[in-house]
Amino acid sequence: MTEFLNDWGISLMVFLPLIGAALMAFVPASQEENHKTIALFTTLATGLVGILLIADFDYDNSDVLQFAVDARWIEVINARYTVAMDGMSLPLIALTLLVVPLVIIYSWNHIPNPGNPKTFLMLILVLHTGMLGSFVAQDLVLFFVFFEVVLLPMFFMIGVWGGEDRLYASLKFFLYTLFGSALMLVSFLALYVLAGSSTFNMVQLAENVVTEDISKTAQVLIFGGMFMGFGIKVPMFPFHTWLPDAHTQAPTQGSVILAAVLLKLGTYGFIRIAIPILPEAAVEWAPWIGLLAVIGIIYGALGCLAQTDMKRLIAFSSVAHMGYVMLGIATLTDFGINAAIFGMVAHGIITGMLFFIAGSIKERYHTLEIARLGGLLVQAPKMGWILAITTMASLGLPGLAGFWGEFPAILAAYDPAPGLSDALFRVYMVIAAIGTVLAAAYLLWLLQRTAFGTPSEEFENDPHIHDVVTEEWIAWTPLLILMVVLGFYPRLIFGITDDAVINSLLALGG
Amino acid sequence: MLIAQEFVRPIIDWHGVAPELTLLAIGAMVTLVDIIWNEKAQRIIPTLTGLGFLAALLPVLTLWSDRDELPRVMWDGAYVVDEYSLVLKGLFLVSAYVVVLLATNYMHDGDYYEGEFYQLVSASVVGMLVMTSARDLISIFVAIELISIPAYLMAAWRKRDLKSNEAGLKYMLMGVFASALMLYGMSLLYGFAGDTRLAAIAPALRSSESIPLITLAVVFVVVGFGFKVSAVPFHTWAPDTYEGAPTPLTAFLAVASKAAGFVALMSVVIVAFPEQSGVAEPLLWVLAAVTMTVGNLIAMRQTNIVRMLAYSGIAQAGYMIAPLAVFGDVPSSAARAIVIYLVIYAAMNLGAFAVVITAARKTRSGEISSYGGLFQYAPGLAVLMTLFLFSLAGIPPFGGWYAKYQVFLVLVEPATTAGYVLAAIGAVNAVLAAFYYLSIMKQMWFMPEPNGDHTRVQITPSLQAALAITAIVTLVTGVLPGVIPDVGDLVVALP
């Protein structure tokens, strides 16, 4: 078993969804139930392989790349099919494996207009492969391919199944991300050539950068190209403007996947590729990244306060939350990056959950305009309480998952890596702390306006408004449980990531 | 004194020229069949021509399998069969086969002259095969004319349509003008070198002192080819010609004919001007940057899909010129990148044209808005078009990404500022291009059919074959780019 997992485990996990999608292509579109079943079983099977891998993972050596496979791919350019996982990618892989089946369960009776579950679910499966692939790829070209593969299904999900402004939103999403990744590709290639044109392997590149003695200017420029690619995906201020549109217009399932996993591809890129390979340039860039991160925190929070649409508000809160993650990364300390990884997972669970709730509210009320909502606790008390718990988690209440993403990131800014200005980062720390107050303000205000009070006249006697239904319970329970468990026992993630993070920062000398 | 010399019959490597000869024989046979059986033979002529292209592929394969014998150098280095030329010969033959598949129903249903069309296509392809091996100014010129003159005729094939007449006339006038420019540049080169062989020109230019005149010659030759590959600002003929010409011929011009222009440009620049990179590189740098940017910007404003593909093809040509902007440092990589780009570009662009021709069988329109609702009534066609367009936009895992990747790689390889800047311009252009490819996607997937007409599109067997071939190549080159044969180094030395 172990041998099989070592050789085939990761590849099987990554490509199973694609096989499922191929299978669905041969089933006529009219057999909707079959499609849902195939999609669910595929993601469950993928999850099972993932669980086996996670169970077999050697946690004592979580800084070592495990289950590594290194096979020939494009020999002409020395690009290889190299996949592996370590403590840094494991939590994100687990998050992906969890969220996608939940989304499919949620889809059971919630296929958005204009229907066609076959194509919709096939796109989710393709997305699944792309996301998992990005997290396991250890070769820059392979990473690039998976990173881009994610674009296509998301574009169609927003464009076909989205809201009124879907065309604009899907185009904006696609073009922004493409712009970043085109520059990212150029910088990957520049790195490859300057590092001796011998390999795209991330680990070896990090070594080659030292031995080939690449000039600092070149490193800083290459980091800049990567910054565009990853920063747009995160998204960092000022490249965030695609996010509110994409989130607001995307169908619930799309929003959940986008928030839970897709945004993490950007932050993951920073900690997996940009910083370990180009540590010197990272030190140069870190103050700027930190600056943009805290601007994002405040800007996102202020944006939230101004929103009248619930989904758009949650989208802006993502900008703020990803700001904390980026602040953690910008400190370049193991403490900060551990917090960032925790923040990624926590944000994935919490914001994913918020989007689920928003989708369900939209389905019942046919609107997400905050002014027209109210009294959710009266009309659908269970859902109201779920919303309450999730917003509490989102604003960083201790004891729930959100706290361990935000608080350590802020704390890490007190003492950034050597070479970074303590004073500057302490200013960032203060600003970020103010951001948490604002976060409490907009989230509690949201809760107050939607859940408290009495239902508006418009919806008072609306028979469509009912409480949480079975498939919602199935889809939501795991997320709620995780929110609490991670809140009480953060070591579940910190314990896995710590060694790997320390290892990735070795080149920084810290 | 020359006349007094006894004529020595050059040794001909019959195996080396077998592809050209086979195709010549097939072309002659098609002509004979057409003359003898006339109307009765109309149905089999396309099949016969298509099989002819595949038959000519056989000697290419045998030559490839006999690679130890390469390079086969003939006529004192004027004609070379090497890996580079074999890969390109294969590309031209397969592209021409796909074009025949595209034309089969189009020509028949449109009630155009059929036999003559295929004869002219064959003649043009013979020119392309010659071009891949030509390493001599005269044979390059003859090959270019052999490719172009049949194409002038075919562009005006829909003779009852004014636009087609305009297409043919414009194409011919511009083509002849370009040939004249090129010929002038070539005559200057011959004046310096006293030799027409590219490999002999290079050392002659090196030792020459007349820098201004050499510069003039290089500029004229490059500009002449610029017309052929529709580089901005010499592109103005392309959109009108593409729109007016019969669509299968447009596909032929946009893919095969353009590729032939690139082959000529590549051979001349890399083999004859290695020492003149100081002149040629800045010129080509500007051409590449302007071509991709202007092509993309104008493509955004198009409402007709063929015109849009024409401008997108211009932008793609910009990417193909880009490696030549740094060729002096990395000649082999530049040639390899361009050949890979040509192979992938041929597959994805022919595929896009195949969808356009297929969809036009129902919509009878070339407007982008007529693609509304394609996903509703022809999901397969919409998915294929999506594949080709994403590939053209350079999104993995479809072939186009690898083509762009190779170009970027060559640009950053010499580690010069010029290369980095051009790579960055290329990256920005990838976004511009995605914008208009997505606008078609938007019509196909997100918009309703404009007339509410949801009758299915009838895809004829030949179009099915064309779609299948192009889709498979586009996908395979994207996932396993290693399958594209390596072209090795261009043979630059004299025998």
Side-chain angles (χ1 to χ4, degrees), chain B residues 75-100:
Chain B
W75 294 296
D76 296 330
Y79 202 83
V80 177
V81 179
D82 51 9
E83 279 147 333
Y84 164 81
S85 77
L86 283 179
V87 171
L88 288 166
K89 279 183 218 275
L91 166 69
F92 285 125
L93 287 168
V94 175
S95 307
Y97 177 65
V98 173
V99 168
V100 168

Side-chain angles (χ1 to χ4, degrees), chain B residues 13 76 102 223 290 342 378 402 405:
Chain B
D13 178 356
D76 296 330
L102 295 182
V223 167
V290 173
L342 286 174
Y402 187 65
Y405 173 96

Side-chain angles (χ1 to χ4, degrees), chain B residues 123-193:
Chain B
S124 196
V125 176
V126 172
M128 292 171 186
L129 297 187
V130 172
M131 178 66 86
T132 61
S133 292
R135 301 284 194 280
D136 170 280
L137 291 179
I138 292 177
S139 42
I140 285 179
F141 186 73
V142 169
I144 274 213
E145 294 304 299
L146 188 53
I147 294 164
S148 302
I149 294 171
Y152 302 150
L153 293 170
M154 289 188 284
W157 212 248
R158 296 159 55 213
K159 63 175 181 180
R160 289 176 291 274
D161 185 337
L162 270 181
K163 277 198 164 179
S164 186
N165 283 299
E166 184 197 343
L169 194 65
K170 237 178 198 168
Y171 187 30
M172 191 195 77
L173 288 177
M174 284 306 202
V176 171
F177 180 56
S179 298
L181 276 181
M182 199 185 330
L183 209 52
Y184 183 59
M186 286 177 174
S187 70
L188 286 176
L189 287 179
Y190 177 68
F192 287 115

